[in-house]
Each structure stands twice: as structure tokens, then as C-alpha cells.
Amino acid sequence: MNVVTSIPTDITPDGTDYDTVRHVIEMLTEDYRDQPSLETIARRLRQSPTQLQKVFTRWAGLSPKAFLQAVTLDHAKRLLRQEGMPLLEASIEVGLSGPGRLHDLFVTHEAMSPGEWKARGGGLTIRYGFHPSPFGTALVMVTDRGLAGLAFADAGEERASFEDMAGRWPNATYLEDSAATAHYAARIFNPERWCAEEPLNIVLIGSDFQIRVWQALLNIPLGKATTYSKIAGDIGQPTASRAVGAAVGRNPISFVVPCHRALGKGGELTGYHWGLTRKRAILGWEAGKG
DNA sequence: ATCGGCATTTGTT
DNA sequence: AACAAATGCCGAT
């Protein structure tokens, strides 16, 4: 399997900014006890505070101060507090495909059970490509029906990321084709290109349970969050919160299916398949878009 | 730190 | 194919 190693860096300036942001988040959460000041952090990164300031505002649309505030537990709790409508309408049936106002990046989704996938999947081709994103390198996977996978990788981890994704659909044929995936990446990570007129087509491939959970995630608007237990309740299995967590963790189209907006009941960021730091980064970034 | 709960996966017969 | 065991972005004690 050929995994490209050269990733273009000139599509979006955010691509390189993320590296800085990631380090800041890591420092902040690792030494949260002694609350390192912005100056301390800047010094440790061998950058001037002004430079850091610039990177943040460019990356998040948020001052460092506002950004820092956005990745705290407090903020997470605030996201949870806003009571929303149920995440899943009772009328939505498993496997039903349809349009909808899902996410703020509008998407239409099509669900495919493993059975359908198998029937069709043996001969199906998945085209993939690596692209810079505000959250590190993104691995985009598409079928002729639409976006099927979105993963992340820190520098040097592209291969592992690819294996992780490819392992989910072992029977597919994989073709490196970043020309085919580039416009997906460009659109997904640019809020200015999110519009209802041309929703993004995505293909959800998973068990009934997983698809119900992922549909619930799609209904969480930008700037809000929910909990695993609430999702469990909304899909009619109030005691299955842990199973919900597992399903959320298997979400193949991260970011687009906003699994980062699922938090623990107390607002903790419990976990993220592509790393907790990234979950914080995405939530912080979104705080600047709301 | 532990344990109940539950979908899925992985390892055994 | 059936079953047991392990695992995971939970949640409560």
C-alpha cells in the first residue's frame, strides 16, 4: 500500500499554525497546576508573545486569552448547559438516508450497513489523499457516493492513520488520489464554503447502532455540545452510554460528523480517537466561529 | 479504584 | 456457528 509522504503545505496557512497551537494546548493541560502564562509558553516555544498572538488570531479568529478560555472545563460545561432539542427525531429510522440541516457544514448523508457495503464494497474504490488542515494533516477518503472517511495525523503518523482507516473497510481498493480529495478538504475546513445550497455528500458505513449514534452527532450545532449519556437517552437506550462512547469513537468521518462535541457528563473531554489535544483544538477553533 | 452496563471485536471451541 | 472474553471517547460510588 502506497502512502504518500509529501503533503502540500501551501493550501492553507492554518496547516503550519496548528503545530504551534498544539504545543500550547499540550503545555496548558500538562502543567495546568502552575498555569503557565502566555509569556512563559511563548518563551518555551522560542517565540515572542506578539508572534504567538498573531498565530492565534490567524488560526482561531480568537485572541490567545479567549482561546485559552475556550479550552477550559468551564467552557465545556457552558456548552453543555444550553439545553437543546433532542438530538434525534423519533421519526428518523436507521438506514434512512436524507438531507437535513446537520452541523453547520451542511451535509446529506447516506447510510450503508456492513451488508450493503459488502455486497457493493468488494469492488468499491476508495480514493484518498493527505491535506493540511487547521488540526494537522487530514486524511480524506472518498467514494463515488461521497465522503466516507476523515482522519487526522500528526507529522510522521500519516501511515498509522491510513492503516487505521483502511482497516475499517478491508475489502475496498485504495487509490492515492489527492487531486480527487483536495476539494473536499478545502471545503470542509473553510467555514466560508459551508452552504445549504450545495450540501456535502457523506456516506455513513456502520452498524445500525453506530449510525443512530452518528446521526445524533450530526444534529449538534456548531458551538454546542452534548454528553454520551444524553445521546444514549435520545436514541432510546438510556443505559447504553458506554456503548455510545464506543460508537462515537468509531466515527469514520471525524470533524464532519462532530464527535468532538460529545463530552462526559461533567464536561470532561474524556477521550478522542485522534488525540485529546486535537479535541481541545477543534473545540477551541469552533469557539471562534460561533 | 471499582463495578455495572452494553455494542462490538477478537479469540476459542 | 456459537460462545466466551476483552475492550472502549461512560457514569456512578
Side-chain angles (χ1 to χ4, degrees):
Chain A
M1 206 72 63
N2 252 358
V3 180
V4 277
T5 48
S6 73
I7 292 130
T9 51
D10 52 3
I11 293 182
T12 156
D14 298 356
T16 48
D17 289 351
Y18 176 67
D19 213 48
T20 302
V21 171
R22 174 166 66 93
H23 283 110
V24 172
I25 296 175
E26 275 164 5
M27 283 182 205
L28 237 39
T29 51
E30 272 157 36
D31 326 324
Y32 69 103
R33 225 157 300 161
D34 34 284
Q35 291 287 327
S37 71
L38 193 63
E39 272 115 41
T40 315
I41 293 174
R43 215 181 331 274
R44 273 193 243 171
L45 289 177
R46 295 156 185 280
Q47 289 191 347
S48 68
T50 19
Q51 189 166 177
L52 204 53
Q53 167 95 4
K54 209 160 138 196
V55 170
F56 269 98
T57 40
R58 184 171 53 203
W59 182 82
L62 238 48
S63 71
K65 186 182 161 82
F67 172 82
L68 264 36
Q69 211 207 323
V71 297
T72 60
L73 186 59
D74 266 11
H75 180 256
K77 285 180 179 162
R78 273 218 316 284
L79 293 183
L80 290 179
R81 247 187 280 289
Q82 3 213 180
E83 274 306 310
M85 26 173 188
L87 296 175
L88 196 56
E89 298 304 324
S91 60
I92 297 183
E93 287 185 29
V94 180
L96 186 72
S97 313
R101 188 201 172 292
L102 312 162
H103 199 282
D104 288 72
L105 163 68
F106 295 82
V107 306
T108 59
H109 68 278
E110 183 174 336
M112 225 186 260
S113 69
E116 290 175 81
W117 174 255
K118 201 173 175 187
R120 188 201 309 247
L124 212 110
T125 300
I126 294 184
R127 293 165 196 281
Y128 69 93
F130 292 92
H131 305 277
S133 88
F135 316 109
T137 301
L139 167 58
V140 178
M141 291 181 155
V142 302
T143 69
D144 54 349
R145 333 270 311 219
L147 179 72
L150 177 49
F152 293 104
D154 287 329
E157 286 178 0
E158 292 82 9
R159 174 102 209 183
S161 205
F162 178 84
E163 298 294 342
D164 183 321
M165 293 303 288
R168 303 176 188 217
W169 310 299
N171 297 326
T173 304
Y174 292 91
L175 264 183
E176 201 281 319
D177 186 358
S178 45
T181 52
H183 77 277
Y184 279 91
R187 174 146 173 226
I188 289 166
F189 296 111
N190 180 1
E192 286 170 18
R193 297 181 57 181
W194 295 353
C195 65
E197 288 72 34
E198 309 170 57
L200 184 78
N201 292 329
I202 69 174
V203 193
L204 260 23
I205 305 160
S207 69
D208 287 0
F209 183 84
Q210 288 171 330
I211 286 171
R212 261 158 49 219
V213 170
W214 299 338
Q215 286 173 335
L217 291 175
L218 281 169
N219 287 334
I220 314 170
L222 178 74
K224 298 216 175 150
T226 192
T227 67
Y228 301 100
S229 62
K230 202 180 286 182
I231 294 174
D234 286 338
I235 65 174
Q237 271 155 278
T239 56
S241 52
R242 184 154 187 178
V244 165
V248 171
R250 292 299 291 174
N251 166 32
I253 318 182
S254 56
F255 186 75
V256 173
V257 176
C259 56
H260 52 278
R261 296 183 195 147
L263 311 178
K265 201 166 195 182
E268 320 84 48
L269 270 60
T270 58
Y272 193 66
H273 189 79
W274 306 109
L276 270 180
T277 297
R278 206 173 324 263
K279 189 170 182 173
R280 291 195 178 89
I282 296 176
L283 258 7
W285 183 86
E286 288 190 338
K289 316 290 160 191

